[in-house]
Amino acid sequence: MLTVETIAQWMNGWTKDIKANKGYLNELDSVIGDGDHGSNLARGADAIEAALLTAPDDVPSTFKAVAMAIVSKVGGASGALYGTAFLEMYKESQRTTDMVKILDKAMKAMEKRGDSKPGEKTMLDVWEPVVKAAKRGNVTPIVIDDAVESTKDMKATKGRASYVGEKSIGHLDPGAVSSGYLFHNLFEVGLVG
Amino acid sequence: MLTVETIAQWMNGWTKDIKANKGYLNELDSVIGDGDHGSNLARGADAIEAALLTAPDDVPSTFKAVAMAIVSKVGGASGALYGTAFLEMYKESQRTTDMVKILDKAMKAMEKRGDSKPGEKTMLDVWEPVVKAAKRGNVTPIVIDDAVESTKDMKATKGRASYVGEKSIGHLDPGAVSSGYLFHNLFEVGLVG
Amino acid sequence: MKEVVYLKKIMNDATQIVTEMVDGMALSYPEYVKRLDDLLVLVRSQEESMTNKVGLITGGGTGHEPASAGYIGEGMLSAVVCGQIFSSPTPDQILAAIQTADHGKGVFMIIMNYSGDIMNFDMAREMAVMDDIDVRFIVVDDDIAVEDSTYTQGRRGVAGTVLMEKILGAAADSGASLSEIEALAKQVLPNLKTIGVALSAATVPEVGKPGFTLAEDEVEYGVGIHSEPGYRREEMQPSAKLAEELLARLNDEFNFTPEDHYAVLVNGMGATPLMEQFVFMRDVLNQLADFGVQADFTKVGNFMTSLDMAGVSLTLLKLREDQWLKQLNYPVNTIAMVRK
Amino acid sequence: MKEVVYLKKIMNDATQIVTEMVDGMALSYPEYVKRLDDLLVLVRSQEESMTNKVGLITGGGTGHEPASAGYIGEGMLSAVVCGQIFSSPTPDQILAAIQTADHGKGVFMIIMNYSGDIMNFDMAREMAVMDDIDVRFIVVDDDIAVEDSTYTQGRRGVAGTVLMEKILGAAADSGASLSEIEALAKQVLPNLKTIGVALSAATVPEVGKPGFTLAEDEVEYGVGIHSEPGYRREEMQPSAKLAEELLARLNDEFNFTPEDHYAVLVNGMGATPLMEQFVFMRDVLNQLADFGVQADFTKVGNFMTSLDMAGVSLTLLKLREDQWLKQLNYPVNTIAMVRK
Ligand SMILES: Nc1ncnc2c1ncn2[C@@H]1O[C@H](COP(=O)(O)OP(=O)(O)O)[C@@H](O)[C@H]1O
Ligand SMILES: Nc1ncnc2c1ncn2[C@@H]1O[C@H](COP(=O)(O)OP(=O)(O)O)[C@@H](O)[C@H]1O
Ligand SMILES: [Mg+2]
Ligand SMILES: [Mg+2]
Ligand SMILES: [Mg+2]
Ligand SMILES: [Mg+2]
C-alpha cells in the first residue's frame, strides 16, 4: 500500500543501490555520455535520504520532498527527468493512490520533458515496458532486467549519447540502469507486481 | 693589413664557423641560457655574408655594413654586443688602421653596453686576454682557446646565465665560444698575432 | 604515511571548485557581479542599469570561463547560473536567476542546446510562470559539426552563443521588449555557425584524466566544448590548412558570396596561446578575402573555453541586418568584454 | 614518402610565427593597431589620441600575448616592438617604434630587465638621441624570485609590468611631461612585486620541447616567464597553500601592515584555465584580508603569458599614492584592457 513508509522504504533501497553503483553508473555514462550519471544521482541520493529523515506527513508531501531533493541537487538531464517524474507523482498522488496510474502520469511527464519516446535509448526504455507490465499486473525482476538490457542494442538519438551515434550501439544506457534500480526496489516493496 | 678584403676574409671565416657550429652554440646556450645563441648568430651570419657581397668602398664602411647586418638581424644580448663592437670599429677605423687599437675600443664599448667586466663568464672573458695579448703581439690559437676554456669554471653574474647561478659553473659560455671563432679567424687572416 | 597527491590543477577540493570559482569572481570583480546567497548564481552589480529592461540570463555547466559570468554587465547579461563542471544547473537555481533578473519586463533565457540544459531551463520556466514572470527563450545550436536531424539531439551550442548574447544584450539595454528580443534571437540564430578543431582534450578535475586522447601529431575536427567526439581525426596540419578545412565546412552552410558581410570570432579553447590564435585568424581573414567576403567585426581570444583543452573554434555570423553590427559594437561593460 | 609531421601548434612555419601573429593582430583589430611596413612594430591606430603627448613604448621577446601589443591604445601604450619568441628585438626596430611614438614630447620606454632587452633598447636610445628625440626609460624588475644583488643580472621583469604600463599610460594620456613620467615610474617601481608558480613549462615552437619538465605531481615556485629556473620544486599543493607560499614571499618584501592598500593581479601563464585562476584569487584575497590588508584593485586573467606554460603569478602593487589607484582605473581602450 502507498504510504509514507513504503515510499521511504522504496527510496532508501534505491539510494542504496545508486550509491553502491555510483562508479559503475559513471563508467556506463563515460562510454556514451560524459561520465557523471553516477555522481549526479549520488548527490541526489544523499539529498533524498536527508529529506526523508524528517518524515513528511502524507504521501503527496513525501513525493514532493523527494522531488525537491532531486531537482535541487542532481542537475544534468537525469535531474530534470527524475525530478519531473517525482513532481508529477506528487501532483497525481493528491488525486489517487493507484501506483500504476501515478507511474503512468510520471512517465508521460518525462516524455514531454525530454521531448522523447521509447526506442531512443534512454531511461524511458525501462519505464515504458515496466509501466505497461504494471498495468497488467505482471512486473517481475526479469521484465525489468530485460527492459534495461534492451537499451544495449539501440542507437541513441536523444541526450549526449546521440553525439556518438552508431557507436552507442552495444552499450547499456546509464539512465536505463538507474531506472532499473528504481523499479527493482519498487517491486521489492510490493508497490508494483 | 686592414683592407676591405682582409675584413671580408675574416668575416667569411667567422660566419662559416658560426653556421657550422650553430647547433653546438645552441646546445651550450641551452645549458646555461635560453638555447638560441647559435640561431641568433646564424641569422647574423647570413646577413653579414649578404652585406659583403656588394663590397663596400673602404674599411670603415665595411665595418659599418657588418655592424648594421648584426644590429638588424641578431637580436638578444649577443646582437647588441657584437653590433656595438662593430659599430665602434666603424667609428675607430676612421681615425686609425691599427687593429689592436680598434679592438681595444670595441671591447671598451662592449663593456659599457653590457655593464660588465671580465670575470663574469661572458664573451668579454675572451676579448680581454686576447686584446691584451694582441697589444704585446703574442696572440696564438692557444691563447684564444685558453681564454674560451677559462669561462668553464666561472660563475655567471651577467646575462641569462646568471639566473642559474652556481649551476653555470662547469659549462663553457656560448658567447665566449663564438668570440673564440671570431679571434681564430682574425689570427688566421693575420690581422693580429 | 603516504602524502596526498593532488591532481595538478590549482584548486583545493574538486567538489568545491565551482563554488570557490564563483566566490573568486565575486571577490575579484565586485563592480561587475555579486553572488546570490548560497546559490551558484552571479548577478549584475549595477542594478540601476537593469531598471525597466528585459532581463537576459544564461547558464549551463561551468568550465567555459570567461563564459558566461564574464559577460554579466551593462549591455549584456543580467545573471548567470553556474552548474557543476560541464553539467547543467538545477531548476531552483535557474528560477532564482530568473527572479532576480526580472525587472517587470520579463526575462529572456539563452540556452545552449544540450538536453540537460534544455530540460532544466524548461522546468525553471514553468516554475517562473507560476510566479507570473513572462519568460521566453532561444536554444542556440551553432555547432555545425553535428548532423542536425530528428535522429540526434541536434546541433550543440558553442562559442557563437557569445555573439548572440552580445546582440541581445545590446537590444535589451536599448529597451527592446521581450517579444522583440525573442524575434531578434530567432532571426539571428540561423545565421550563426561555428566549427572547432581540437589539439587535445580537457581534463575535468573530478575525473582527473582527459576526455579523449589524440596522438602527438593528430587533431580532431568538430570536437564539442565538452570533449564530445568530432567528425574526423587526421595528422596535424599547418594553420592555413586548418583554416581551409573549417572554412570549407562553414561554406557548405553559408555558400559564401562576394560582398557578403560577416562577424568573425576565433575562440581559443583554453590552453592554446593567443599567438597561435592570431596566426590562425590571419589565415582565416586572408582566405575570407579570397572568397570576396567582408569581415566587419573580428575578435580573437578565449571567449568560450573548455577548461584546458587545446584548439580553436571559428564562428561566423552572417550580418543580414546592419543593426546586428551596431549591436555587436554597442557599448558593453563586463569582466570579459568591454567596449566604449 | 614520409609526410611532414607538424609540431602540434597552430602555425604555418615556426620561423614566420611572429610575423604572422603581428599580421593577425593588425588584421583582427585595425581599430587599435597597425603594423609599420616590413617591421615587427605595432603602433596605435588612433593617431589623434597621441597628439601632444609623451609616447610610451615597450617591447621584448614575444610569446607573452596579450602583452604587450594588446595594451596599445588610448590611455596605455603608443607602440610595441615584437622580438622573436622570448628574444629581444633589434635596435633598428626599437628606433622605428621610438620615431613613430614621438609626437614632440619625447618617448618613454618600459624595459623589462633582461640583459638583451636592456642593451638593445639602450642602443636604440643612443640612435634616437642623434635624431634629437628625448628618450627616457625605466627597467622593470618586479620578479622577487631572483636574488637581487651585484652578483646577478638582477630581478626579472614579469607581469607587474602591465600595471606599470597602465599607470604610466594614464599619466601620459593626462598630459604628464617626460620628466614627470620618469619620476612616476621610479616612484612606482619599488612598490611593484611579483612571484609565480609553474605547473608545466612552455614549449617554444622552434625548439619543439618544453623548457623543463616537472613530474606529474610537482610544481616549481619562482619560475620566470621564459622558463627560467625557480627557487624550489615541491609536490603539488592545494590552491590555498600555493597562495600562502607566494604571499609569504611577498610579505618578506612588503611587510604587510593592517590598512595597507594594494592592487592585486593574478596572472595566468597561458594554459591555466580561468576557473583555477579565480579559485586562486579567492584564496589570495581571503588571506590578504586575514593580514588586514585592503585590496583596492583586483584583476584576474591572462595578462602576461608564457606561451603554453601552466601556472599563475601573483603581483602586488602597494598603493602609496591615491593617484596610482586613479591611474589604474583611468579609462583605457586597448585590445586586451578596456575601461570606461
Ligand atoms: N531527452 C531525453 N529524454 C529521456 N532521457 C534522457 C534524455 N536525455 C538524457 N536522458 C537520460 O539521461 C541519462 C543521462 O543522465 P546524466 O548523465 O545524469 O545527465 P547528463 O546527460 O546531463 O550528463 C541518459 O542515460 C538517458 O537515460
Ligand atoms: N651583460 C653582458 N655582458 C657581456 N656579455 C653578455 C652579457 N649578457 C650576455 N652576454 C653574452 O651573450 C651571450 C648570450 O647571447 P645570446 O644567447 O645570443 O643572447 P640572449 O641571452 O639574449 O639569448 C652570453 O653567452 C654572454 O657571452
Ligand atoms: Mg552524464
Ligand atoms: Mg640565448
Ligand atoms: Mg553531465
Ligand atoms: Mg635569447
Side-chain angles (χ1 to χ4, degrees):
Chain A
M1 218 190 56
L2 198 58
T3 62
V4 173
E5 290 69 36
T6 49
I7 300 174
Q9 235 181 304
W10 174 30
M11 286 296 107
N12 286 326
W14 190 41
T15 60
K16 224 196 276 166
D17 282 351
I18 285 168
K19 295 206 277 191
N21 294 287
K22 173 178 157 179
Y24 174 57
L25 292 170
N26 278 343
E27 253 169 59
L28 290 174
D29 193 28
S30 71
V31 180
I32 62 169
D34 60 350
D36 61 1
H37 188 57
S39 304
N40 291 346
L41 288 188
R43 272 197 310 274
D46 287 336
I48 292 170
E49 287 169 6
L52 292 178
L53 279 183
T54 51
D57 296 333
D58 52 39
V59 166
S61 38
T62 311
F63 280 130
K64 191 179 180 186
V66 172
M68 292 324 288
I70 292 174
V71 154
S72 63
K73 288 292 175 236
V74 178
S78 62
L81 289 161
Y82 283 124
T84 298
F86 281 93
L87 275 178
E88 196 63 28
M89 293 186 212
Y90 154 62
K91 286 187 210 157
E92 194 59 17
S93 64
Q94 292 169 310
R95 283 188 282 266
T96 176
T97 56
D98 180 343
M99 193 61 205
V100 177
K101 273 195 190 145
I102 292 173
L103 286 176
D104 194 51
K105 280 278 189 173
M107 181 177 73
K108 294 213 164 93
M110 290 167 83
E111 288 185 356
K112 197 167 158 232
R113 179 73 66 213
D115 183 25
S116 145
K117 284 191 195 53
E120 305 203 84
K121 194 181 184 104
T122 71
M123 48 180 73
L124 289 173
D125 292 305
V126 175
W127 282 72
E128 199 253 2
V130 174
V131 171
K132 195 187 264 174
K135 284 180 187 165
R136 294 194 300 252
N138 56 10
V139 174
T140 62
I142 291 173
V143 166
I144 300 169
D145 288 342
D146 284 352
V148 172
E149 276 301 314
S150 78
T151 64
K152 198 164 192 167
D153 296 332
M154 293 179 184
K155 179 180 152 191
T157 54
K158 277 281 148 57
R160 289 185 192 280
S162 73
Y163 302 130
V164 299
E166 297 288 341
K167 286 179 211 147
S168 68
I169 297 172
H171 306 281
L172 289 175
D173 174 63
V177 174
S178 63
S179 283
Y181 300 153
L182 183 79
F183 288 117
H184 273 294
N185 282 289
L186 185 65
F187 174 79
E188 268 162 40
V189 177
L191 286 173
V192 291
Chain B
M1 221 190 54
L2 197 59
T3 63
V4 173
E5 290 69 36
T6 50
I7 300 174
Q9 234 182 304
W10 174 28
M11 286 296 105
N12 285 325
W14 189 41
T15 59
K16 223 194 276 166
D17 282 351
I18 286 169
K19 295 207 277 190
N21 293 288
K22 174 179 157 178
Y24 173 57
L25 292 170
N26 278 343
E27 252 170 59
L28 290 174
D29 193 29
S30 72
V31 180
I32 61 170
D34 61 350
D36 61 0
H37 188 57
S39 305
N40 291 345
L41 288 188
R43 272 197 309 274
D46 287 336
I48 291 170
E49 288 169 4
L52 293 178
L53 279 183
T54 52
D57 296 333
D58 52 38
V59 166
S61 39
T62 311
F63 280 132
K64 192 178 179 187
V66 172
M68 293 322 289
I70 293 175
V71 153
S72 64
K73 287 293 175 234
V74 178
S78 61
L81 289 162
Y82 284 124
T84 297
F86 282 91
L87 274 178
E88 195 63 27
M89 293 186 211
Y90 153 60
K91 286 188 209 158
E92 194 59 15
S93 64
Q94 292 169 307
R95 281 188 283 268
T96 175
T97 56
D98 179 343
M99 193 63 205
V100 177
K101 272 193 190 147
I102 293 172
L103 286 176
D104 193 50
K105 280 279 188 170
M107 180 175 74
K108 294 211 165 94
M110 289 167 83
E111 288 185 357
K112 198 169 155 229
R113 178 75 64 213
D115 183 24
S116 144
K117 284 192 195 55
E120 305 203 85
K121 193 181 185 106
T122 70
M123 49 180 74
L124 288 172
D125 292 305
V126 174
W127 281 72
E128 199 253 0
V130 173
V131 171
K132 196 186 263 172
K135 283 180 187 166
R136 292 194 301 252
N138 55 9
V139 174
T140 62
I142 292 172
V143 166
I144 301 169
D145 289 342
D146 284 352
V148 173
E149 277 300 315
S150 77
T151 63
K152 198 163 193 166
D153 295 333
M154 294 179 183
K155 181 180 150 191
T157 55
K158 276 283 147 57
R160 289 186 192 279
S162 73
Y163 302 131
V164 298
E166 297 288 342
K167 285 180 212 145
S168 67
I169 296 172
H171 306 282
L172 290 175
D173 174 61
V177 173
S178 63
S179 282
Y181 301 152
L182 182 79
F183 287 118
H184 272 294
N185 283 289
L186 185 65
F187 174 79
E188 268 162 40
V189 177
L191 287 173
V192 290
Chain C
M1 225 183 83
K2 173 87 186 76
E3 289 283 312
V4 182
V5 176
Y6 292 95
L7 177 65
K8 218 164 171 186
K9 298 212 174 235
I10 300 177
M11 61 179 183
N12 294 299
D13 170 351
T15 67
Q16 295 306 307
I17 191 166
V18 176
T19 311
E20 295 189 1
M21 171 188 71
V22 167
D23 280 339
M25 290 191 94
L27 283 170
S28 310
Y29 292 100
E31 68 276 36
Y32 289 111
V33 296
K34 58 181 192 224
R35 180 177 171 189
L36 288 190
D37 284 343
D38 298 326
L39 296 174
L40 294 175
V41 177
L42 285 163
V43 187
R44 199 190 293 189
S45 302
Q46 316 105 307
E47 256 179 71
E48 356 51 82
S49 70
M50 298 186 285
T51 317
N52 260 319
K53 290 174 186 161
V54 169
L56 211 61
I57 73 159
T58 188
T62 46
H64 307 299
E65 293 63 34
S68 297
Y71 305 120
I72 296 174
E74 238 178 302
M76 223 158 154
L77 303 174
S78 313
V80 166
V81 203
C82 301
Q84 292 304 307
I85 294 183
F86 293 175
S87 183
S88 162
T90 57
D92 53 324
Q93 305 248 352
I94 302 170
L95 178 62
I98 293 174
Q99 286 163 337
T100 189
D102 179 42
H103 290 80
K105 301 281 169 181
V107 173
F108 193 78
M109 311 193 296
I110 296 162
I111 307 171
M112 295 166 81
N113 189 28
Y114 298 96
S115 77
D117 291 281
I118 289 176
M119 291 191 264
N120 285 292
F121 275 84
D122 191 43
M123 288 184 81
R125 191 187 51 75
E126 281 177 12
M127 295 172 185
V129 168
M130 292 189 242
D131 278 6
D132 279 325
I133 304 178
D134 198 355
V135 179
R136 316 269 177 93
F137 64 93
I138 186 90
V139 176
V140 180
D141 58 353
D142 56 319
D143 188 355
I144 62 170
V146 175
E147 201 191 340
D148 189 16
S149 76
T150 45
Y151 301 110
T152 67
Q153 182 64 40
R155 293 178 161 179
R156 301 176 292 238
V158 288
T161 311
V162 178
L163 297 185
M164 177 69 87
E165 289 165 0
K166 179 72 189 72
I167 288 176
L168 300 184
D173 195 69
S174 313
S177 71
L178 190 55
S179 327
E180 285 166 344
I181 289 176
E182 187 181 18
L184 176 60
K186 285 185 179 159
Q187 246 196 314
V188 168
L189 188 61
N191 296 290
L192 186 62
K193 314 275 179 197
T194 300
I195 180 94
V197 57
L199 278 62
S200 77
T203 299
V204 175
E206 270 197 272
V207 179
K209 57 172 197 278
F212 57 85
T213 330
L214 289 171
E216 255 313 309
D217 61 347
E218 254 181 353
V219 296
E220 184 160 339
Y221 296 107
V223 171
I225 57 174
H226 313 93
S227 299
E228 297 96 339
Y231 63 84
R232 194 169 83 230
R233 260 181 208 202
E234 66 178 31
E235 218 175 37
M236 178 66 188
Q237 302 292 321
S239 168
K241 289 277 172 202
L242 298 176
E244 217 175 284
E245 167 68 23
L246 300 192
L247 281 173
R249 296 287 74 74
L250 287 161
N251 195 15
D252 289 346
E253 300 280 322
F254 283 119
N255 238 308
F256 298 146
T257 317
E259 305 313 316
D260 276 358
H261 291 255
Y262 284 90
V264 186
L265 178 76
V266 163
N267 172 57
M269 290 300 192
T272 288
L274 264 180
M275 176 176 275
E276 297 175 40
Q277 297 178 39
F278 275 114
V279 168
F280 179 72
M281 180 58 123
R282 167 191 167 274
D283 293 323
V284 166
L285 292 176
N286 284 341
Q287 291 175 29
L288 280 175
D290 292 343
F291 281 112
V293 154
Q294 310 287 315
D296 295 341
F297 179 91
T298 42
K299 267 197 172 287
V300 179
N302 293 356
F303 293 98
M304 171 77 72
T305 61
S306 178
L307 292 175
D308 54 354
M309 175 163 148
V312 289
S313 68
L314 174 60
T315 299
L316 293 186
L317 167 63
K318 185 163 183 177
L319 297 168
R320 284 197 180 278
E321 305 288 333
D322 293 345
Q323 190 58 21
W324 300 355
L325 180 58
K326 289 196 188 119
Q327 284 157 335
L328 288 172
N329 286 316
Y330 186 90
V332 61
N333 192 15
T334 70
I335 296 171
M337 207 183 281
V338 183
R339 197 161 193 119
K340 306 216 278 184
Chain D
M1 228 185 82
K2 175 87 185 75
E3 288 282 313
V4 182
V5 175
Y6 293 93
L7 177 66
K8 217 163 172 185
K9 299 211 172 235
I10 300 177
M11 62 179 181
N12 294 299
D13 172 352
T15 68
Q16 295 306 307
I17 192 167
V18 176
T19 310
E20 294 188 1
M21 171 190 71
V22 167
D23 280 339
M25 290 190 94
L27 283 169
S28 311
Y29 292 100
E31 67 276 35
Y32 289 111
V33 295
K34 59 177 191 230
R35 181 178 172 192
L36 288 191
D37 284 343
D38 297 326
L39 296 174
L40 294 175
V41 176
L42 286 163
V43 186
R44 200 192 289 187
S45 303
Q46 316 106 309
E47 257 180 69
E48 2 41 89
S49 71
M50 299 188 284
T51 317
N52 259 320
K53 289 171 188 164
V54 168
L56 212 61
I57 72 159
T58 187
T62 46
H64 308 299
E65 292 65 33
S68 297
Y71 304 122
I72 295 174
E74 239 178 302
M76 221 160 155
L77 304 174
S78 314
V80 165
V81 202
C82 301
Q84 292 304 308
I85 295 181
F86 293 176
S87 183
S88 162
T90 55
D92 53 324
Q93 305 247 351
I94 302 170
L95 177 64
I98 294 174
Q99 285 163 338
T100 190
D102 179 41
H103 290 80
K105 301 282 168 182
V107 173
F108 194 77
M109 310 193 298
I110 296 162
I111 308 171
M112 296 166 79
N113 189 29
Y114 298 95
S115 76
D117 291 280
I118 290 176
M119 292 191 263
N120 284 293
F121 276 84
D122 191 42
M123 288 185 82
R125 190 186 52 75
E126 281 177 11
M127 296 172 183
V129 169
M130 294 190 241
D131 278 7
D132 279 326
I133 305 178
D134 198 355
V135 180
R136 314 269 177 94
F137 65 93
I138 187 91
V139 176
V140 180
D141 58 352
D142 56 319
D143 187 355
I144 63 170
V146 175
E147 200 192 341
D148 189 15
S149 75
T150 46
Y151 302 110
T152 66
Q153 181 66 38
R155 292 176 162 179
R156 300 175 291 238
V158 289
T161 310
V162 178
L163 297 184
M164 176 69 87
E165 289 165 0
K166 180 72 188 74
I167 289 177
L168 300 186
D173 196 68
S174 312
S177 71
L178 189 55
S179 325
E180 285 165 346
I181 289 176
E182 187 181 17
L184 175 60
K186 285 183 179 162
Q187 248 195 313
V188 168
L189 189 62
N191 296 291
L192 187 62
K193 314 275 180 197
T194 300
I195 180 95
V197 57
L199 278 62
S200 76
T203 299
V204 175
E206 270 198 271
V207 178
K209 57 174 197 281
F212 57 85
T213 329
L214 290 170
E216 255 314 307
D217 61 347
E218 253 180 356
V219 296
E220 183 161 341
Y221 295 108
V223 171
I225 56 175
H226 313 93
S227 298
E228 296 96 339
Y231 62 84
R232 195 168 82 229
R233 261 182 207 202
E234 67 178 31
E235 218 173 38
M236 179 67 191
Q237 303 291 322
S239 168
K241 290 276 172 205
L242 297 177
E244 218 174 283
E245 167 68 23
L246 300 192
L247 281 172
R249 295 287 74 74
L250 287 161
N251 195 14
D252 288 345
E253 300 280 322
F254 283 118
N255 239 308
F256 297 146
T257 317
E259 306 312 320
D260 277 356
H261 292 256
Y262 285 90
V264 186
L265 177 76
V266 163
N267 172 57
M269 290 301 191
T272 288
L274 263 179
M275 175 175 276
E276 298 174 40
Q277 297 179 40
F278 275 114
V279 168
F280 179 72
M281 180 57 125
R282 167 190 167 274
D283 293 323
V284 166
L285 291 177
N286 285 342
Q287 291 175 29
L288 280 176
D290 292 342
F291 282 111
V293 154
Q294 312 287 316
D296 295 340
F297 179 91
T298 42
K299 267 197 172 287
V300 179
N302 292 357
F303 293 98
M304 171 77 72
T305 61
S306 178
L307 292 174
D308 54 354
M309 176 163 147
V312 289
S313 68
L314 174 59
T315 299
L316 293 186
L317 167 63
K318 186 164 182 179
L319 297 167
R320 286 198 180 277
E321 305 289 333
D322 293 345
Q323 189 59 22
W324 300 353
L325 180 58
K326 290 196 188 119
Q327 284 158 335
L328 287 172
N329 286 316
Y330 185 91
V332 62
N333 192 17
T334 70
I335 297 171
M337 206 184 282
V338 184
R339 199 165 192 113
K340 306 217 277 185

